[in-house]
Amino acid sequence: MRPENQSSVSEFLLLGLPIQPEHQGVFFTLFLGMYLTTVLGNLLIILLIRLDSHLHTPMYFFLSHLAFSDISLSSVTVPKMLMNMQTQQISIPYVGCISQLYFFILFGSLDNFLLAVMAYDRYVAICHPLQYTTIMREGLCMLLVAASWIIACDHALLHTLLLARLSFCANNIITHFFCDLTVLLKLSCSDISLNEMVIFTEGGMLYFPPLAIVLGSYICIGTIILKAPSTKRLLKAFSTCGSHLLVVSLYYGTLAVVYFLSSSWDSKNIIASVMYTVVTPMLNPFIYSLRNRDIKQALEMFVNRVNLLKWKSLNPLIAVRSTVRHMS
């Protein structure tokens, strides 16, 4: 396309979810409740892990970072979607769109790496239990989390910079509820062959190894269990890995639907994106709290502490009131 037929895009228009106008209020309330549940649930997980010394283990250290990543991933997309639904102002500035894209890629990638690290942790716990404390020492855990953050930041920055160099046509309508990389590339008037090559090469190098680590870890775990199957051993493995395996299934399942099994951005793809960005981060705290005995015990202790503090704060007031009554 010739330069005179191009225009400098200063903003994009997010069409949002395919919802009828008369149903906007219902879905706004629904997604607001889901977002608040995501934030409060994951913050509670982080708080319990910080307060309870019994949860100061590698698995819960990784889980706290996953909870923070889930909060951030939802916060990148959902508040803007809710604001658009409420105000009907569907525009987003160019800089805001690029920033949203960067943080979306960052926290989406971070989830991927953290799930792989947690799978390796479960592998060591079940396949090498006697060496667990030696292998999963504090220094290694810090290194794995730091590497996950650094690689995710570099990955997001690379794709954001490659996108920022592109020109965009007069068509600035994004048929989605957030600025996704694949959608933005379709709007560009520039040559996107370099972007596509980097997505398939660098993206493949970063996403498939973590998936291979997850699959390899659970294959090894399954092999160890099947060598000497017993009900006690199966229950222990399920209690140890069940929550993580369910989260992994939700994450990679919705990711596959969005980016690998779809050819165009229709309503089904948007629904899958909602699952990936809204539903999965909301379900993670419930999965880990409902299926995890340690989290349940930490939650009970936390509730008891809160009730005790309330009783202590109210007790002096009760004493003062009773004294005043006796004096009167």
Side-chain angles (χ1 to χ4, degrees), residues 147-164:
S148 299
W149 274 95
I150 292 172
I151 296 173
C153 289
D154 292 343
H155 172 64
L157 183 61
L158 173 62
H159 287 285
T160 305
L161 292 177
L162 288 176
L163 180 74

Side-chain angles (χ1 to χ4, degrees), residues 58-59 117-127 132 217-218 221 240-241 244:
M59 182 178 73
V117 169
M118 293 173 73
Y120 175 71
D121 174 73
R122 295 299 84 205
Y123 158 76
V124 176
I126 293 178
C127 299
Y132 180 76
S217 297
Y218 279 105
I221 291 172
T240 304
C241 305
H244 178 259

Side-chain angles (χ1 to χ4, degrees), residues 93-158:
Y94 175 83
V95 175
C97 188
I98 297 299
S99 300
Q100 187 184 58
L101 172 69
Y102 171 79
F103 287 107
F104 176 77
I105 297 176
L106 166 61
F107 292 112
S109 303
L110 184 60
D111 269 8
N112 183 46
F113 299 138
L114 289 175
L115 288 174
V117 169
M118 293 173 73
Y120 175 71
D121 174 73
R122 295 299 84 205
Y123 158 76
V124 176
I126 293 178
C127 299
H128 304 283
L130 299 179
Q131 299 174 314
Y132 180 76
T133 55
T134 304
I135 297 175
M136 300 303 298
R137 56 192 183 278
E138 183 178 358
L140 178 62
C141 296
M142 296 289 291
L143 179 62
L144 290 173
V145 170
S148 299
W149 274 95
I150 292 172
I151 296 173
C153 289
D154 292 343
H155 172 64
L157 183 61
L158 173 62

Side-chain angles (χ1 to χ4, degrees), residues 157-316:
L157 183 61
L158 173 62
H159 287 285
T160 305
L161 292 177
L162 288 176
L163 180 74
R165 71 181 181 86
L166 301 178
S167 300
F168 291 91
C169 304
N171 180 18
N172 63 342
I173 299 176
I174 299 176
T175 56
H176 213 334
F177 64 93
F178 67 94
C179 294
D180 187 79
L181 179 60
T182 55
V183 182
L184 289 171
L185 289 178
K186 292 180 180 179
L187 297 180
S188 175
C189 298
S190 304
D191 181 14
I192 62 172
S193 57
L194 177 60
N195 299 73
E196 292 177 337
M197 183 186 69
V198 172
I199 289 174
F200 284 107
T201 55
E202 186 265 353
M205 290 171 60
L206 288 184
Y207 275 89
F208 285 107
L211 178 58
I213 291 174
V214 172
L215 294 176
S217 297
Y218 279 105
I219 290 173
C220 293
I221 291 172
T223 303
I224 291 294
I225 294 173
L226 293 177
K227 282 184 178 179
S230 66
T231 304
K232 183 178 180 180
R233 200 167 189 177
L234 286 172
L235 291 175
K236 182 179 180 181
F238 184 75
S239 63
T240 304
C241 305
S243 300
H244 178 259
L245 189 58
L246 186 55
V247 171
V248 166
S249 302
L250 286 172
Y251 176 84
Y252 285 108
T254 53
L255 194 67
V257 172
V258 173
Y259 293 106
F260 297 105
L261 302 181
S262 60
S263 57
S264 62
W265 287 96
D266 53 13
S267 299
K268 294 181 180 179
N269 305 125
I270 295 178
I271 293 173
S273 298
V274 170
M275 285 289 299
Y276 170 62
T277 59
V278 182
V279 179
T280 300
M282 180 192 69
L283 291 178
N284 286 354
F286 292 100
I287 293 172
Y288 277 102
S289 61
L290 295 177
R291 304 187 62 85
N292 193 298
R293 183 176 60 185
D294 295 333
I295 293 291
K296 287 181 181 179
Q297 292 176 350
L299 181 59
E300 290 176 0
M301 292 178 62
F302 176 75
V303 172
N304 291 334
R305 286 181 184 177
V306 172
N307 291 334
L308 181 61
L309 290 175
K310 285 183 179 179
W311 184 84
K312 287 183 178 179
S313 62
L314 291 175
N315 197 37

